[in-house]
Amino acid sequence: MPSNFFGELFRITTWGESHGNAVGVTIDGIPAGLEISTAIIEEHLKWRRPGRKLTSPRKEQDIPEIVSGLFDGKSTGAPLSIIFKNTNAKKSQYQHLADKLRPGHANYSYLKKYGIYDYNGGGRASARETVCRVAAGAIAAQLLKPLGISVHTFLSEVGNISLPSNYWPSVNDLDNILTSPVFCPDNFTSQNIINLIEKKQAEGDSVGGTVKFLIKGAPAGLGEPIYQKLEAKLAYAMLSIPASKGFEIGSGFSASKQTGSSHNDLWQNDKTSQIKQNTNNCGGILGGISTGADIYGAVAFKPTSSIKKPQNTLDLNGKETILELPKDARHDPCVAIRATAVVKAMCFITLADAYLANKLAKAF
Amino acid sequence: MPSNFFGELFRITTWGESHGNAVGVTIDGIPAGLEISTAIIEEHLKWRRPGRKLTSPRKEQDIPEIVSGLFDGKSTGAPLSIIFKNTNAKKSQYQHLADKLRPGHANYSYLKKYGIYDYNGGGRASARETVCRVAAGAIAAQLLKPLGISVHTFLSEVGNISLPSNYWPSVNDLDNILTSPVFCPDNFTSQNIINLIEKKQAEGDSVGGTVKFLIKGAPAGLGEPIYQKLEAKLAYAMLSIPASKGFEIGSGFSASKQTGSSHNDLWQNDKTSQIKQNTNNCGGILGGISTGADIYGAVAFKPTSSIKKPQNTLDLNGKETILELPKDARHDPCVAIRATAVVKAMCFITLADAYLANKLAKAF
Amino acid sequence: MPSNFFGELFRITTWGESHGNAVGVTIDGIPAGLEISTAIIEEHLKWRRPGRKLTSPRKEQDIPEIVSGLFDGKSTGAPLSIIFKNTNAKKSQYQHLADKLRPGHANYSYLKKYGIYDYNGGGRASARETVCRVAAGAIAAQLLKPLGISVHTFLSEVGNISLPSNYWPSVNDLDNILTSPVFCPDNFTSQNIINLIEKKQAEGDSVGGTVKFLIKGAPAGLGEPIYQKLEAKLAYAMLSIPASKGFEIGSGFSASKQTGSSHNDLWQNDKTSQIKQNTNNCGGILGGISTGADIYGAVAFKPTSSIKKPQNTLDLNGKETILELPKDARHDPCVAIRATAVVKAMCFITLADAYLANKLAKAF
Amino acid sequence: MPSNFFGELFRITTWGESHGNAVGVTIDGIPAGLEISTAIIEEHLKWRRPGRKLTSPRKEQDIPEIVSGLFDGKSTGAPLSIIFKNTNAKKSQYQHLADKLRPGHANYSYLKKYGIYDYNGGGRASARETVCRVAAGAIAAQLLKPLGISVHTFLSEVGNISLPSNYWPSVNDLDNILTSPVFCPDNFTSQNIINLIEKKQAEGDSVGGTVKFLIKGAPAGLGEPIYQKLEAKLAYAMLSIPASKGFEIGSGFSASKQTGSSHNDLWQNDKTSQIKQNTNNCGGILGGISTGADIYGAVAFKPTSSIKKPQNTLDLNGKETILELPKDARHDPCVAIRATAVVKAMCFITLADAYLANKLAKAF
């Protein structure tokens, strides 16, 4: 069943395995006339790049090749195909793991479903696929650029370290995000997170984390009612990211603790006589459709499943064995760090799709 | 843009407004030969029925008419169309609200998107649409019946009352769910929730809640990798339910507090020599595909937006006004109660879709 | 597998059996603000109405009920559901046919596929479904109205009677179409067709026919390249109509007899200095995208499969038997007559879909 | 709007321009466990290869690179990506045509739609895209292999030369197809076609042609009713091929000349007591679903639009000019020859899609 695509009108289709020749993405539905270059893509890729402090030391250079869809630097209405060669694949590294069930990994469920499994670096199930999402997100961002939409994502919690529950980033804070090695806007929290991750990494362990997203400048009207609500599309996008375990929009799970009189955002005129809400518990979406306010929420990520500590497990025949990764195996100690780039990309793609759909809302 | 459908292979399309002539659902993709009757649908509808204690006193009888797709009581491969006449619609009740922005409601965002809005009972945005989901869920359940899948949903939290954080329902508890007026399996918590809701209702207020789902008996192999992961489809399904604000699968947001060595579920042989996991933090899904273990998670619901307390708001022209619902207005004090039926239905529909997709996984 | 829908952005989903309670269509994707009424639908339905001279005497009144999607007579962005009650169903008429294979009908192939078959009037396979297409076509026509698009369909051939091969309708001819009992614009040919059909009907036989379509006023830019070419969508639409056997766009099959130098339409300035083509062999479409010229083509229909003459056949067990329809059975002697309304409807729906898609072609 | 894909369950997405770096196809929905190799693809590609007698002398070697989706030579459920590098692109050849409207080509309609056009060799609109279809067709054929389905396509008409109207290929004839330089099974007709094409080529002209397809061994049950009828999907597939102008299934346009008593195929027991039809006017499909008989039909192709004869035309500003292709320009004198490979590929892809869909027809 085709499942390697995302988006109805701005549609990405990805392919490729972790340790195959290449991974790639085809973007179908890009309106014509958009200025596109590899530079735009590389700007987004640098947020996800492995080799950064506290992330996997795998040295992929992630050089995007745009092999179709451009003419004189502009989109033509034809599909854009972007390819990333896998220059640093190490198939041999995985052969000794071939017949072992890896805790937290997908080899058991893939085997049950398909009867076959590419064990090299997780094959298709590898997070390497997300480089394609980030590249596609850069194109989506380019489409949205004239609207003045910006998407900010940051780490809000890792292990027992977190930003205050009522934390809301200032403009300065948003600027801080990209200077923090862990994409955390608050310097103090950022340092604590770094310390914690380094400790876990030293122990051969990993740790989970929560990524928050904040979308500023989205116009009212994005999202479709009933099943294709904007928050439903965002939830779908976020839970498709490897290792994600939860999603919140606006007040999220805290909404279940509130009363209607406290949770309802009241309408009022602001100083410029524009209709606004005095609070934003709804997260910028009502009835599945954006209101024009900030859209925000959170995505939970589990700890990296690949850890250096030896783990008891079974082989494919159900016999007990021990899984021990090679000393030079390359894994992120906290996937949530790099996931900030992927959450951002999925926001852009989801919004681009919603933006195109919204062109069809009114007859006149 | 078409958005009133859900599911790729088991596809439901719904239509109808809260206070129009009728609402209905067409289910396309039902395999032929399935025994179907209105009795099956009514069995599921009773869990959602308004008029129950602590829910809206609107007295819709919700009688499903199956007007196509059956021959000798069996599905034929043709689409099944189910219609619910709106016997208790009260359009006049809403006229005085026509030009007021309703806090927590969708009339502002609908107006911005469409330039027109059916203000009668929320029009298309009304939760009345969910009766169609429950009916479709009953058909999906019938398709899954031979697999031995059961879906249990229950209220785990309302306001400051909640089941213990490590609560896991026993078989007895699961039986208790349907006897609790608030679908809460623990008698003590159930009574506390009832007390709280009655208090809020008396104050003219409402309260939020969290619904948990537990799917037992699902085989390994359900769900597609990458974008159509089973948890992504579930998240999409749940965030499409009116008033939902968050979704968790397995460990959910608590995963971000854990380490890999504690979160990884280890593979081991159980007494029957079957490959199982010693824990189930993953929630029965790895890499987007079910493992054969219990699938569980949670959905957060905000407090009902319609409350009897007067609220400050604006009219459509931005002029300040007060919104006061009529004394006999019919609203649930806690939408999460009836949402248990809708969460259950969306689980069934999502699983039916995944079950059909899984028939295509292997070439031989 | 869901298959009862047509259109990507202007999407119709139909349901219902020939002799069930009702048939209906849900249209999802109608932009908001469009004026819609049952009167508009009835205007289109009268072209398809059974009971007309030379068509089936079945006296369905085909009264469309719009049960959702309107507010103050305008579309709201919500799905429009239209229901036609089957007031003149005669199930008993078909019981004696239940176990006989009907030549030209679908009961054998349906049984092989589904293992079950609704034999009443062809069940889902009945042309009764096309009333839904015509109703949906009326809504599509309403969407296209401001563009000044008109669609004309007419009978060009029945048996050995046909319009001249180089025939092209004048404006007067187009007006004649609706006054001809067989929708043939040329009075002489119309009368000859009538005579032939009456002769075949008297013999208990039926006859095939070809329907031509001519779309005037379509702007350049409709249709998508590669797989969703406008002619491909039209072909798909037309071959989905019961009894259709062939499709041509522009020069059609005669193109295979021509040379490039004769077939190529040359570009030239017309008197108004507009870029036009001197001929229109391409049928108004180049590379899958409309050029702004007339779009035209043809659809072939086989003779009605239901005939009064007795026919040798088999029962479901493979035993030889004779199929003899009841004397009062109601069938069209030439399905192509009423098919003119369905071809027209499918043109409108296909164009409406292409029109919405074209709103997404350019970034600015 | 995404339009570069074909198929619902066996889905191909293609990308690339005629004179860009590469063209490629991603196939999503291949069931796992299928043996796949480049050798299988090359077997199909040789039927389409340019450089063959009477086809374009462009010397593309069309070497398929499979860059994803295989493990140990088998499909894994992951998407298969196939890339063809453009080794013989000649961009400079097209610069002098950049601002001229090319008769029969798509640059005018593309410009009107997108406001931008890649003039190099037709850019995305080039028939070079069809190499991707043939590669995907080879994979589809591999999926269908265990069913014993074979697809034969042949040239039945070019200009005024054609096979007899009642021609039906014998088993010997089918073997002849691939030895004829123009894929025509009858030696005498084949030679006449060759002579005609050589004559037209010498005149700097081109000629149209008709391709017939014959599918043997397809089981009953393929195709979905109403809108996704097997003949509708085939029509959609065929009219998406560049230069196609018409489609017939079974009796095709000749059906409009027949009566019901002559056109109806009668059911009878054959010698092996199997239920069969005595004739096959329906073309192996009833009600949109295959009957198990041979599926056959025809596709019309216009003459190649690119001819060496000078043609009067306009430039983009509407000024009169003359279009004269370079003497060494590479074009097929009759596109129908190579189209036989593409028609065959589209048959395989359409059948593979229908085959997967049919796995979902019955509940048990």
Side-chain angles (χ1 to χ4, degrees), chain A residues 44-62:
Chain A
H44 285 246
L45 286 171
K46 69 184 184 195
W47 303 325
R48 180 199 168 275
R49 191 142 296 161
R52 192 179 165 113
K53 190 181 176 186
L54 299 179
T55 62
S56 158
R58 176 169 172 171
K59 296 289 188 209
E60 287 295 353
Q61 296 196 28
D62 291 343

Side-chain angles (χ1 to χ4, degrees), chain C residues 141-358:
Chain C
Q142 192 70 353
L143 176 63
L144 298 169
K145 208 176 173 183
L147 301 181
I149 295 177
S150 64
V151 177
H152 310 272
T153 55
F154 53 92
L155 214 52
S156 69
E157 180 174 87
V158 171
N160 58 347
I161 316 288
S162 69
L163 291 168
S165 67
N166 61 351
Y167 173 82
W168 190 263
S170 67
V171 173
N172 266 358
D173 285 356
L174 295 178
D175 290 341
N176 279 348
I177 293 174
L178 299 181
T179 59
S180 159
V182 292
F183 301 117
C184 178
D186 176 72
N187 289 337
F188 180 76
T189 312
S190 174
Q191 192 53 53
N192 283 342
I193 288 177
I194 292 168
N195 295 346
L196 175 63
I197 294 176
E198 287 180 338
K199 183 163 172 287
K200 292 300 164 190
Q201 193 171 29
E203 293 168 11
D205 210 339
S206 65
V207 63
T210 295
V211 173
K212 294 213 165 171
F213 60 88
L214 171 58
I215 301 165
K216 298 184 87 73
L222 302 187
E224 305 295 310
I226 314 302
Y227 296 103
Q228 302 192 4
K229 290 185 167 84
L230 187 55
E231 65 268 42
K233 289 283 185 132
L234 284 168
Y236 178 56
M238 298 312 160
L239 267 295
S240 79
I241 302 174
S244 64
K245 301 302 290 179
F247 171 84
E248 292 187 323
I249 189 76
S251 56
F253 277 89
S254 77
S256 71
K257 298 184 189 299
Q258 296 191 46
T259 60
S261 58
S262 69
H263 190 274
N264 277 349
D265 306 307
L266 299 184
W267 297 98
Q268 56 185 33
N269 278 305
D270 69 2
K271 291 163 196 162
T272 60
S273 288
Q274 278 207 298
I275 293 175
K276 292 252 166 111
Q277 291 173 300
N278 66 337
T279 51
N280 190 3
N281 287 314
C282 72
I285 304 175
L286 283 172
I289 298 168
S290 66
T291 64
D294 291 343
I295 299 168
Y296 69 95
V299 189
F301 289 90
K302 69 176 184 179
T304 318
S305 297
S306 297
I307 56 176
K308 293 219 171 147
K309 282 186 180 177
Q311 297 176 91
N312 295 320
T313 191
L314 304 176
D315 66 17
L316 298 184
N317 300 315
K319 213 180 126 190
E320 293 185 0
T321 181
I322 288 175
L323 179 82
E324 194 158 7
L325 296 184
K327 294 232 176 325
D328 61 342
R330 307 166 301 189
H331 299 290
D332 287 9
C334 175
V335 291
I337 301 173
R338 283 212 267 161
T340 55
V342 186
V343 169
K344 186 188 288 196
M346 295 310 287
C347 283
F348 276 125
I349 296 168
T350 304
L351 288 169
D353 206 34
Y355 162 68
L356 292 177
N358 199 36

Side-chain angles (χ1 to χ4, degrees), chain B residues 105-117:
Chain B
H105 279 270
N107 52 359
Y108 177 79
S109 54
Y110 268 61
L111 264 171
K112 281 287 193 177
K113 184 176 189 76
Y114 295 118
I116 186 173
Y117 182 68

Side-chain angles (χ1 to χ4, degrees), chain B residues 74-109:
Chain B
K74 288 187 178 169
S75 62
T76 64
L80 198 82
S81 188
I82 306 169
I83 295 176
F84 295 91
K85 295 217 175 79
N86 285 337
T87 57
N88 200 13
K90 291 191 180 178
K91 283 205 181 186
S92 60
Q93 196 179 43
Y94 292 91
Q95 272 160 359
H96 74 288
L97 304 175
D99 65 347
K100 291 184 181 177
L101 294 178
R102 300 179 65 188
H105 279 270
N107 52 359
Y108 177 79
S109 54

Side-chain angles (χ1 to χ4, degrees), chain C residues 109 113 129 157 159 205 208 221 223 225 227 229 240 245 247 256-258 261 264 269 282 286 305 311 318 358, chain D residues 109-110 113 129 157 159 205 208 221 223 227 229 240 245 247 256-258 261 264 269 282 286 305 311 318 358:
Chain C
S109 53
K113 184 176 189 75
E129 187 267 349
E157 180 174 87
D205 210 339
Y227 296 103
K229 290 185 167 84
S240 79
K245 301 302 290 179
F247 171 84
S256 71
K257 298 184 189 299
Q258 296 191 46
S261 58
N264 277 349
N269 278 305
C282 72
L286 283 172
S305 297
Q311 297 176 91
N358 199 36
Chain D
S109 54
Y110 269 60
K113 184 176 189 76
E129 187 267 349
E157 180 174 86
D205 210 340
Y227 296 103
K229 290 185 167 83
S240 79
K245 301 302 288 180
F247 172 82
S256 71
K257 298 182 189 300
Q258 296 190 46
S261 57
N264 277 349
N269 278 305
C282 72
L286 284 171
S305 298
Q311 297 177 90
N358 199 37

